[in-house]
Amino acid sequence: MTAAGAAPVAAPVWSVDPRTGKRRERVAVEATADAVDAAVRAAHATRHALADRDRRAALLRRAAALLEADDARLVATADAETALGAPRLTGELARTAYQLRSFADLVDEGGFLDVRIDRPDPGLTPPRPDLRRYKIPLGVVAVYGASNFPLAFSVPGGDTASALAAGCPVVVKAHPDHPATAERCATLLRRAATETGLPADVVVLVHGFQAGLDLVRHPLVAAAGFTGSVRGGRALHDAAAARPHPIPFHGELGSLNPVVVTAAAAVERADAIGTGLAGSMTLGTGQFCVKPGLVLVPEGAAGDRLLAALTAAAGATGPSAMLDHRMRDAFHAGVHDRSRLADVRAPLAPVVEDGGHTVSATVLTVPAGRLATSGPHDLLLEECFGPLTVLARYADEDEAAAVLARVPGTLSATLHLSTAESAGTDPAGRGARLLAALTPLAGRVVVNGWPTGVAVAPAQHHGGPYPATTSTATSVGATAVERWLRPVAYQDTPPALLPPELRDDNPLGLPRRVDDRPEHPTADPPGGRAAGA
């Protein structure tokens, strides 16, 4: 215990090997309340430097280059802490660098500022004043690293990249599963900042559970981004809402990611769907946010063939380690609790090793009718993190629809259709009807594919109704930047006082809408962009 009046002792932060459960190295100490306060204030002090869009873009590109140059060390460190494997992490690093450069391109183009100018028109009823609107950064953003993506959704990930693109400094709370990776990434991002003429404290890193709570409650933190569990995310969301001045909390929490396989699709390609499902639900040891956790499969011979293909392919994957032992234990407990429910069968049962460190793929089946009404089987409508999927065998479309009506909000929903259903030529119009039924459930609807693998693209949406996320925003793709901006309009403001973005001569060369018509700059402004852009 700490003596009365004595300063609290910072607890050590250890890097742990999930394959053995043994400590690797001590990498940091947990941030005290004073350390969190200092981190936030240091980041807050850099916000004016980040106003320069040219330097923001340069920072993002330099960060991508430094991460790529350090690829061997980063991948080895991340693998030692997560057991995700070098091939998977090499791909994740490439994705991370790509999204950093994508946001740099976004900053260069400037359209995310959404500049709109309406010139005065006294002839309108009511008369219109001179109005000029654009978006400005919120301020310091708290980012909470994800366990399952030590790069792409952690220190150098999409929340950090989009916040920096918006002009917001970032304080990252490292995930305890990969603290050494977090430290290395933070060092590289801070180096990228100084090499591009920005203060290193545009990115600051802290560790510790209490530090995460202190961070979201800090009065200078203006918004937060989180990827993790429903329990952890909801606690932070509630803390953000309970502040004297509540802040936006963009949390990605939990997702069931249902799949519907029509009877005709099962007849056409049962083996291919079963094999594809096995690859999707076991990818990354089932630790993807969009792992398909509930699959509606028809009763009958075609559905039986799909199940056989799934269990054969999933069973061949072999045991593997999860991100940490706590998650492994939670997975085994989740499988056990689900397996005990009435009418639940396990055609592919987990292999549990005494004293082992691994999990194995598991497939459960249940009659769909068990999920159509509230009861103990509601547990099957909750995410079980790890390589588990549940096949609900339905007798007809009405039974499948009754289950879908009880599925909570989700990141993705997938539909497997026959050739005729996909073309819209089946007499029942089944494809369009099912697509309409799935759309209210999810932020992304996948047809004849699998949800794992979230492309970084302008049209991407990685979000969904609660509990998938706590807001309507996306955490992947160009529009992720909108989370960290707010609009402001200037009315009848003298030209000399206007921000450069809103001046008539468009000195920054921004795409704008003037009197509700698009205005595109024809050339780069002379002398580059001014600070304050």
Side-chain angles (χ1 to χ4, degrees):
M1 296 179 61
T2 302
V9 177
V13 174
W14 293 90
S15 172
V16 176
D17 183 347
R19 296 179 174 96
T20 64
K22 295 180 179 179
R23 291 175 173 176
R24 296 178 57 251
E25 58 177 328
R26 175 175 168 169
V27 298
V29 295
E30 294 186 358
T32 62
D34 287 344
V36 171
D37 179 63
V40 174
R41 292 185 183 280
H44 181 72
T46 71
R47 65 197 187 283
H48 297 303
L50 273 175
D52 188 318
R53 281 173 48 229
D54 282 331
R55 287 186 176 176
R56 293 206 309 258
L59 161 62
L60 293 165
R61 291 192 175 96
R62 186 60 184 151
L66 290 177
L67 290 167
E68 289 173 330
D70 200 43
D71 59 349
R73 177 175 174 179
L74 276 176
V75 167
T77 302
D79 180 49
E81 292 188 307
T82 67
L84 289 172
R88 147 71 197 272
L89 291 165
T90 298
E92 186 180 334
L93 178 58
R95 172 206 173 102
T96 304
Y98 176 80
Q99 65 189 4
L100 285 163
R101 292 190 175 99
S102 294
F103 280 113
D105 293 342
L106 185 83
V107 173
D108 282 341
E109 190 267 341
F112 72 100
L113 297 172
D114 195 23
V115 178
R116 296 170 183 264
I117 297 174
D118 292 322
R119 296 190 175 96
D121 189 340
L124 294 176
T125 304
R128 186 175 71 199
D130 184 276
L131 289 168
R132 295 162 188 255
R133 177 187 188 271
Y134 78 139
K135 292 181 178 178
I136 62 173
L138 290 175
V140 176
V141 170
V143 170
Y144 294 81
S147 63
N148 54 345
F149 282 86
L151 302 170
F153 282 83
S154 292
V155 174
D159 284 353
T160 297
S162 58
L164 292 172
C168 296
V170 172
V171 179
V172 183
K173 204 289 284 186
H175 195 280
D177 279 352
H178 36 78
T181 306
E183 284 286 337
R184 183 60 188 164
C185 288
T187 296
L188 294 173
L189 264 62
R190 289 169 62 83
R191 177 180 157 192
T194 59
E195 290 183 1
T196 51
L198 290 166
D201 288 337
V202 298
V203 177
V204 186
L205 182 69
V206 297
H207 298 263
F209 174 81
Q210 184 60 43
L213 289 171
D214 293 339
L215 184 58
V216 80
R217 293 168 176 160
H218 196 285
L220 293 180
V221 168
F226 171 89
T227 302
S229 68
V230 173
R231 181 180 178 184
R234 186 56 193 258
L236 291 171
H237 171 271
D238 292 350
R243 292 168 39 133
H245 297 282
I247 60 171
F249 181 86
H250 300 285
E252 179 191 321
L253 310 185
S255 192
L256 190 62
N257 307 300
V259 178
V260 178
V261 181
T262 67
V267 169
E268 271 190 5
R269 56 183 201 284
D271 290 345
I273 294 173
T275 301
L277 173 58
S280 186
M281 56 88 64
T282 61
L283 187 64
T285 317
Q287 297 171 118
F288 275 52
C289 307
V290 288
K291 179 208 72 177
L294 176 71
V295 187
L296 287 161
V297 174
E299 295 177 353
D304 292 344
R305 291 200 308 273
L306 189 157
L307 175 59
L310 166 64
T311 55
T317 60
S320 55
M322 291 190 72
L323 294 161
D324 62 38
H325 283 196
R326 177 183 57 82
M327 292 182 189
R328 179 206 60 192
D329 293 344
F331 174 77
H332 286 314
V335 172
H336 176 264
D337 291 344
R338 288 162 174 79
S339 300
R340 294 178 62 192
L341 295 169
D343 293 330
V344 171
R345 303 289 181 264
L348 182 62
V351 178
V352 181
E353 302 173 356
D354 291 337
H357 306 281
T358 61
V359 298
S360 60
T362 303
V363 176
L364 302 179
T365 65
V366 65
R370 284 288 191 177
L371 303 177
T373 57
S374 180
H377 289 76
D378 287 357
L379 181 61
L380 300 175
L381 299 178
E382 297 177 11
E383 178 187 21
C384 183
F385 195 64
L388 165 71
T389 198
V390 177
L391 267 61
R393 304 296 299 272
Y394 66 90
D396 53 38
E397 285 190 47
D398 288 342
E399 193 170 60
V403 175
L404 288 176
R406 304 196 63 247
V407 170
T410 186
L411 291 170
S412 71
T414 298
L415 183 57
H416 279 272
L417 302 170
S418 69
T419 302
E421 291 166 340
S422 298
T425 57
D426 68 303
R430 206 169 279 109
R433 190 168 64 251
L434 284 169
L435 197 68
L438 289 177
T439 297
L441 300 179
R444 178 167 57 108
V445 181
V446 180
V447 179
N448 293 340
W450 298 105
T452 41
V454 182
V456 180
Q460 183 60 271
H461 187 84
H462 189 58
Y466 186 85
T469 53
T470 59
S471 72
T472 59
T474 179
S475 61
V476 178
T479 54
V481 73
E482 295 173 1
R483 297 174 294 169
W484 323 120
L485 298 163
R486 71 172 181 88
V488 60
Y490 293 88
Q491 180 172 324
D492 293 331
T493 304
L497 302 183
L498 285 169
E501 293 88 347
L502 301 180
R503 295 175 188 167
D504 281 336
D505 59 351
N506 197 6
L508 306 180
L510 293 169
R512 316 189 299 186
R513 290 192 71 87
V514 179
D515 294 334
D516 207 26
R517 295 181 179 178
E519 175 190 273
H520 299 287
T522 57
D524 290 334
R529 288 191 286 265

